[in-house]
């Protein structure tokens, strides 16, 4: 049949040509091609030793053998057919053009290898949700989403950039359509913005093989943030009492709505606005000043403490200390100042520095360590402050007994012995003892004991007391014996011996000299009285009150009116002047009584009183005083 003849003829022709020349072959076969949507695709094909029909197929479908490929408006074949050039052109390329293409020499039975045409769709500019200006709150984490439509081929990559630097921390995912075909793609950037991000520009870039440079979408961050506060003080280092200005500056979006000042956590009443003026004192060193600024988003607080220079201030005084002898003692005091004060310890009345710092330790104290200790702080740089505080150290020890000086006594006269006792703790008792007995308090025969506080205490040895032993009617044995004053407390006993001094009569020579001087004076007075009586023609003169005159030995003048019965008045055995060896004053009063004056005065007086004087009176008064025994003025 005809169908069987055509192949046979072709075979004969091929065989004939083969015997006549080279057989048809491909000089160039089409290769896989990638082209952007809308651009032109060109698949090349060249044949050698072939002048027959050439056609292209698309996924097995013949496009035709004519050069303009009727029915395919965007397709055509180009090249010099005589030279075997048969290139397939497609313009503009559409998605439907993506297929497998072959170049065929139908009459020679040649087929090229299939060439795959890939159509790329570049991504469009991505979309950032909430853009182009995104409002954020500083400090609040947020997710920024960048989205690209799903018709791009291949699926684009979404990247985030800031100032040309790629940002990490993104999450990429793809949304599929219901039919399972790719839909849009999204990229999420997670960040926690700060106030420094206000006005920052972020870029989301969609990039793929179809568009390696990618397409960008830019957004601007519009931050709302609470105030950012800076607090300063001028000057920051001040002397106590100087003025200081605090300045509170803040940046905020939205704007600041209010200021609040506090010191040491307590509000400063009446303080408003960004400035605060104060007078510095020591409290500002430990109580910072704070400024709180608020806006619609929130608030922020800043604080600062001043460097206030002030002199030492005593915070804790040293406390009195009482310890037993041999134990350790310590004192503590606290001074506050800026800069830190220099603290020294001394003993009152002494210049030696015993220690430095807040604590003074005295090991194994003895009675000699008792006393007042002074904690002293030097004034500050301003010259203000400083001072001293002291506390007493009492050393508990056996009593310390000291015998006090006692005045000598006359035989058979009163006497007094004294002792001074210092003890801590106070003594249980103070006892006087002598040969035949002892006495703690009260009286016993000629002895009487009194105890009373000492007018002054000896620092650190406890309160003092004076114990007095009174003796009435001293005896010879009292001047030769020793009297012991002793005291006891829980720590032991102490004592002291005292002896009684004796006071004798004045020396005989002094007595004789006094008598001679008194006799001479009396003779002169008697002579004057006799002359007076002779002038007035009187034979004698008398006194109206004879008991007020003292009889002078050896005197027998007629003017004396003292009778024999009164010669015993004014003396005991002798008839001379009255003598008191402890220098007491004896005054013979008008009634004839004796007055005893202070024994320290060292004189006595004898005064005679007569009736009212008249011109004829012989004697009106007589008075004398003597250092020692008798001295007539």
């Amino acid at each position: 049949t005809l169908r069987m003849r055509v192949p046979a003829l072709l075979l004969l022709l091929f065989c004939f040509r083969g015997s006549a020349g080279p057989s048809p072959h491909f000089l160039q076969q089409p290769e896989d091609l990638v082209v952007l949507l809308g651009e032109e695709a060109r698949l090349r094909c060249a044949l050698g030793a072939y002048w027959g029909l050439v056609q292209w197929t698309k996924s097995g479908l013949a496009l035709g053998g004519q050069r303009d490929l009727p029915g395919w408006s965007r397709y055509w074949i180009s090249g010099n057919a005589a030279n075997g050039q048969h290139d397939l052109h497609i313009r503009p390329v559409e998605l439907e053009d993506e297929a497998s293409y072959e170049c065929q020499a139908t009459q020679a039975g040649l087929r090229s290898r299939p060439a795959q045409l890939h159509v790329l769709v570049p991504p469009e500019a991505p979309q950032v949700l909430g853009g182009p200006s995104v409002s954020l709150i500083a400090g609040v984490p947020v997710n920024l989403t960048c989205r690209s439509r799903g018709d791009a081929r291949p699926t684009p990559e979404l990247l985030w950039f800031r100032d040309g630097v790629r940002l990490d921390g993104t999450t990429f995912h793809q949304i599929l359509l219901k039919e399972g075909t790719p839909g849009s793609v999204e990229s999420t950037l997670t960040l926690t913005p700060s106030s420094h991000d206000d006005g920052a520009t972020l870029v989301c870039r969609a990039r793929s093989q179809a568009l390696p440079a990618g397409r960008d979408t830019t957004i601007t961050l519009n931050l709302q943030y609470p105030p950012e506060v800076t607090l300063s003080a001028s000057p920051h280092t001040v002397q106590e009492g100087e003025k200081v200005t605090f300045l509170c500056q803040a940046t905020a979006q939205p704007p600041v709505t209010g200021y609040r000042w506090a010191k040491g956590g307590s509000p400063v009443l009446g303080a408003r606005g960004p400035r605060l003026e104060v007078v510095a004192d020591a409290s500002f060193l430990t109580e910072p000043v704070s400024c709180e600024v608020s806006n619609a988003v929130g608030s922020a607080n800043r604080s600062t403490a001043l460097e206030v220079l002030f002199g030492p201030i005593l915070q804790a005084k040293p406390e009195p200390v009482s310890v037993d002898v041999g134990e350790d003692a310590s004192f503590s005091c606290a001074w506050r100042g800026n800069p830190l004060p220099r603290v020294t310890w001394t003993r009152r009345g002494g210049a030696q520095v015993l220690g430095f710092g807040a604590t003074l330790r005295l090991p194994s104290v003895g009675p000699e360590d008792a006393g007042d200790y002074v904690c002293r702080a030097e004034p500050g740089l301003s010259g203000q402050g400083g001072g001293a505080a002291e506390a007493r150290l009492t050393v508990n020890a056996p009593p310390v007994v000291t015998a006090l000086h006692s005045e000598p006594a006359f035989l058979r006269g009163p006497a007094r012995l004294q002792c001074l006792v210092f003890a801590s703790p106070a003594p249980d008792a103070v006892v006087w003892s002598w040969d035949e007995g002892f006495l703690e308090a009260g009286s016993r025969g000629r002895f009487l004991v009194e105890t009373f506080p000492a007018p002054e205490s000896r620092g650190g040895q406890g309160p003092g007391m004076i114990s007095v032993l009174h003796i009435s009617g001293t005896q010879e044995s009292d001047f030769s014996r020793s009297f012991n004053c002793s005291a006891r407390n829980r720590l032991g006993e102490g004592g002291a011996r005292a002896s009684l001094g004796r006071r004798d009569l004045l020396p005989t020579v002094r007595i004789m000299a006094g008598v001679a001087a008194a006799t001479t004076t009396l003779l002169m007075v008697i002579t004057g009285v006799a002359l007076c009586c002779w002038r007035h023609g009187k034979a004698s003169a008398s006194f109206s009150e004879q008991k007020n005159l003292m009889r002078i030995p050896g005197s027998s003048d007629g003017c004396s009116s003292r009778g024999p019965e009164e010669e015993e008045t004014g003396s005991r055995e002798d008839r001379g002047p009255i003598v008191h060896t402890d220098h007491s004053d004896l005054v013979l009063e008008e009634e004839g009584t004796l007055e005893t004056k202070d024994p320290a005065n060292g004189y006595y007086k004898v005064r005679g009183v007569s009736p009212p004087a008249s011109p004829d009176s012989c004697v009106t008064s007589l008075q004398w005083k003597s250092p020692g025994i008798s001295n007539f003025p």
Side-chain angles (χ1 to χ4, degrees):
T1 64
L2 181 60
R3 291 183 178 179
M4 295 178 63
R5 291 177 182 177
V6 172
L9 291 174
L10 291 175
L11 180 60
L12 290 173
L13 181 61
F14 176 76
C15 292
F16 174 76
R17 288 189 175 185
S19 60
S23 60
H25 59 277
F26 282 102
L27 297 177
Q28 185 177 13
Q29 298 188 51
E31 295 182 356
D32 293 344
L33 181 63
V34 176
V35 65
L36 291 178
L37 180 69
E39 296 184 355
E40 180 180 342
R42 183 176 183 174
L43 298 172
R44 296 183 180 276
C45 180
L47 292 168
Y50 179 75
W51 294 273
L53 179 66
V54 176
Q55 68 173 3
W56 284 87
T57 61
K58 175 184 178 182
S59 299
L61 176 64
L63 300 179
Q66 300 180 14
R67 306 291 283 185
D68 57 356
L69 297 179
W72 302 89
S73 59
R74 296 179 293 106
Y75 290 53
W76 73 91
I77 298 174
S78 67
N80 189 344
N83 295 330
Q85 193 72 32
H86 307 277
D87 295 341
L88 175 63
H89 291 263
I90 306 172
R91 189 180 64 186
V93 173
E94 296 181 358
L95 290 177
E96 61 185 26
D97 298 330
E98 188 172 82
S100 177
Y101 292 87
E102 291 182 3
C103 177
Q104 298 179 355
T106 56
Q107 294 175 347
L110 296 177
R111 299 176 61 183
S112 69
R113 63 174 174 267
Q116 188 69 34
L117 176 63
H118 297 279
V119 179
L120 301 181
V121 181
E124 295 182 359
Q127 177 187 7
V128 179
L129 302 184
S133 179
V134 180
S135 295
L136 305 176
I137 297 178
V140 178
V142 66
N143 293 328
L144 298 179
T145 301
C146 179
R147 179 177 297 170
S148 177
R149 294 189 310 174
D151 54 359
R153 293 187 182 185
T155 301
E157 180 184 17
L158 299 179
L159 305 175
W160 289 92
F161 294 87
R162 178 175 179 174
D163 299 330
V165 180
R166 183 175 174 178
L167 301 178
D168 296 326
T170 60
T171 303
F172 179 83
H173 63 277
Q174 188 174 22
I175 300 175
L176 299 178
L177 300 178
K178 293 182 179 180
E179 296 79 6
T181 58
S184 62
V185 292
E186 293 182 352
S187 177
T188 301
L189 173 66
T190 301
L191 77 159
T192 302
S194 67
S195 60
H196 302 291
D197 297 324
D198 187 33
T201 299
L202 299 184
V203 174
C204 179
R205 177 176 297 168
R207 185 179 68 179
S208 71
Q209 183 183 358
L211 190 62
R215 287 182 176 172
D216 297 342
T217 296
T218 301
I219 62 170
T220 301
L221 301 183
N222 180 19
L223 265 294
Q224 292 187 346
Y225 52 92
E228 291 190 345
V229 181
T230 58
L231 179 60
S232 62
S234 179
H236 187 267
T237 301
V238 295
Q239 294 283 348
E240 188 174 23
E242 293 182 353
K243 287 186 177 181
V244 180
T245 300
F246 292 91
L247 181 60
C248 185
Q249 297 175 305
T251 58
Q253 182 64 32
V256 172
T257 57
Y259 295 84
R260 190 169 72 94
W261 292 89
K263 174 178 175 285
S266 300
V268 179
L269 300 179
R272 295 182 178 86
R275 295 173 61 90
L276 175 65
E277 291 187 355
V278 299
V279 175
D281 58 34
S283 64
F284 284 88
L285 191 64
T286 56
E287 297 179 4
V289 172
S290 62
C291 173
E292 183 180 85
V293 186
S294 305
N295 69 353
V297 177
S299 62
N301 187 298
R302 291 292 181 272
S303 62
T304 183
L306 291 179
E307 185 71 13
V308 182
L309 305 179
F310 60 95
I313 300 174
L314 182 63
Q315 286 188 305
K317 296 181 179 180
E319 297 293 335
V321 176
S322 176
V323 296
D324 290 348
V325 63
E327 294 182 349
D328 296 343
S330 64
F331 294 95
S332 295
C333 71
W335 293 87
R336 180 168 171 262
N338 187 33
L340 195 65
R342 180 176 181 266
V343 180
T344 59
W345 290 87
T346 58
R347 191 167 179 175
R348 189 171 69 176
Q352 181 183 3
V353 177
L354 304 177
F356 298 91
T359 302
L360 173 66
R361 290 181 174 84
L362 301 173
S364 187
V365 297
E368 68 278 2
D369 297 315
D372 296 319
Y373 290 81
V374 181
C375 171
R376 190 182 310 277
E378 300 298 330
L381 297 179
S382 63
Q384 300 178 351
E390 63 181 46
R392 173 162 294 182
L393 172 62
T394 301
V395 179
N396 299 322
V400 176
V401 182
T402 304
L404 301 180
H405 174 72
S406 299
E407 292 292 335
F410 293 104
L411 181 63
R412 289 186 292 277
R416 184 174 67 173
L417 296 174
Q418 302 178 90
C419 69
L420 177 62
V421 180
F422 287 104
S424 177
D428 301 326
V430 178
V431 179
W432 285 91
S433 59
W434 54 94
D435 295 341
E436 68 272 14
F438 65 91
L439 184 61
E440 175 181 340
S443 61
R444 177 181 178 183
R446 297 181 299 111
F447 302 96
L448 171 67
V449 171
E450 291 181 323
T451 302
F452 51 90
E456 295 183 0
S457 62
R458 187 176 302 172
Q461 291 189 349
M465 62 176 61
I466 295 178
S467 181
V468 182
L469 175 64
H470 296 275
I471 306 174
S472 62
T474 58
Q475 300 175 359
E476 287 288 349
S477 60
D478 294 334
F479 299 101
S480 60
R481 67 173 52 150
S482 294
F483 294 87
N484 184 50
C485 176
S486 61
R488 174 184 292 275
N489 62 11
R490 63 178 178 83
L491 297 175
E493 182 177 1
R497 293 184 178 275
S499 59
L500 183 62
R502 181 167 181 172
R503 177 180 292 179
D504 296 324
L505 294 177
L506 293 178
T508 305
V509 175
R510 293 184 64 186
I511 296 176
M512 295 300 294
V515 171
T519 302
T520 302
T521 304
L522 287 175
L523 289 176
M524 293 175 63
V525 172
I526 292 172
T527 302
V529 172
L531 292 175
C532 180
C533 294
W534 177 77
R535 285 184 62 184
H536 294 86
K538 295 183 179 181
S540 63
S542 63
F543 294 94
S544 61
E545 295 182 17
Q546 297 177 359
K547 64 180 178 179
N548 290 331
L549 284 179
M550 174 176 282
R551 188 182 66 80
I552 304 302
S555 174
S556 59
D557 190 275
C559 292
S560 175
S561 61
R562 186 167 181 175
E565 67 278 7
E566 297 171 350
E567 290 184 357
E568 296 301 306
T569 303
S571 64
R572 207 167 6 164
E573 296 180 3
D574 60 354
R575 299 183 181 273
I578 299 175
V579 179
H580 200 294
T581 57
D582 65 353
H583 295 213
S584 298
D585 288 346
L586 298 179
V587 179
L588 189 61
E589 300 292 354
E590 294 177 354
E591 295 79 12
T593 62
L594 294 179
E595 283 189 355
T596 302
K597 296 299 184 180
D598 187 350
N601 291 337
Y603 67 91
Y604 70 91
K605 295 188 295 182
V606 178
R607 181 175 64 214
V609 181
S610 62
S614 66
D616 303 317
S617 298
C618 295
V619 180
T620 58
S621 66
L622 181 63
Q623 181 177 7
W624 65 88
K625 180 171 70 174
S626 165
I629 300 178
S630 60
N631 185 16
F632 298 93

